[in-house]
């Protein structure tokens, strides 16, 4: 193995270890979706030296977006896309590859359950448990729930 091959192998190993144990780097761009507008922020630096690099807030045309857990939220895809492009351009991040997405509360529900509640259960049992618990907190008939995402860390 020559020096160039060794450097490449070390770099590849470092990248693997960082992704496996540290996690991917946090996005430097965030998009916030609101009922009447889209906001974009771009950070510069990272960690303790992170600072606001740019920000943009663009109003959505009326009727473009309706916040709901039970029906599609984007009513006018062309207007939404145009507004998003404008906000990204104003913040100088049109070509960003990684972004954080901030959604309003009425759009999604996230629930975390202690591992003690789901340990030693099969996937089907866990999904039924989640549906049972969700009946108490969602504003619609649980049978209309179209997605239950269960992440098993084994």
């Amino acid at each position: 193995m020559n020096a160039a091959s060794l450097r490449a192998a070390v770099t590849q190993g470092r990248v693997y270890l960082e992704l496996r144990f540290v996690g991917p780097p946090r996005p430097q761009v965030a998009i916030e979706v609101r009922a009447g507008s889209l906001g974009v922020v771009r950070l510069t630096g990272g960690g303790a030296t992170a600072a606001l690099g740019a920000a943009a807030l663009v109003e959505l045309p009326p009727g473009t977006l309706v916040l709901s857990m039970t029906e599609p939220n984007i009513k006018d895809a062309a207007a939404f896309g145009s507004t998003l492009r404008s906000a990204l351009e104003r913040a100088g991040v049109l070509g960003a590859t990684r972004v954080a997405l901030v959604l309003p509360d009425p759009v999604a529900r996230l629930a975390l359950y202690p591992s003690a509640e789901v340990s030693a259960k099969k996937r089907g049992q866990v999904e039924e448990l989640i549906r049972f618990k969700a009946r108490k907190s969602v504003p619609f008939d649980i049978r209309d729930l179209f997605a239950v995402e269960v992440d098993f860390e084994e």
Side-chain angles (χ1 to χ4, degrees):
M1 180 177 274
N2 62 28
S5 297
L6 181 60
R7 273 193 299 276
V10 167
T11 300
Q12 185 178 6
R14 183 170 14 96
V15 168
Y16 169 78
L17 290 173
E18 285 175 358
L19 289 175
R20 179 74 171 105
F21 297 107
V22 178
R26 291 194 172 125
Q28 296 289 304
V29 176
I31 300 169
E32 180 181 17
V33 177
R34 298 179 184 176
S37 63
L38 296 176
V40 176
V41 295
R42 176 177 50 87
L43 298 178
T44 59
T49 63
L52 182 63
L57 181 68
V58 180
E59 297 295 319
L60 284 165
T64 301
L65 192 67
V66 175
L67 303 181
S68 172
M69 262 198 226
T70 59
E71 62 183 62
N73 292 270
I74 299 175
K75 300 300 182 184
D76 185 344
F80 186 86
S82 173
T83 305
L84 178 58
R85 175 178 281 283
S86 176
L88 291 169
E89 285 175 346
R90 288 183 188 186
V93 293
L94 188 56
T97 57
R98 292 179 45 88
V99 299
L101 181 62
V102 181
L103 298 173
D105 288 343
V107 173
R109 183 78 46 146
L110 173 69
L112 302 174
Y113 296 107
S115 60
E117 289 187 38
V118 295
S119 64
K121 290 185 171 63
K122 294 187 169 133
R123 185 178 201 87
Q125 292 172 319
V126 171
E127 289 176 1
E128 184 57 36
L129 173 69
I130 291 170
R131 283 190 175 88
F132 175 76
K133 288 183 173 266
R135 281 186 190 108
K136 300 173 187 174
S137 64
V138 294
F140 50 85
D141 187 344
I142 197 67
R143 292 176 295 221
D144 294 335
L145 187 62
F146 57 91
V148 171
E149 185 65 35
V150 179
D151 183 15
F152 285 95
E153 299 218 358
E154 300 177 59

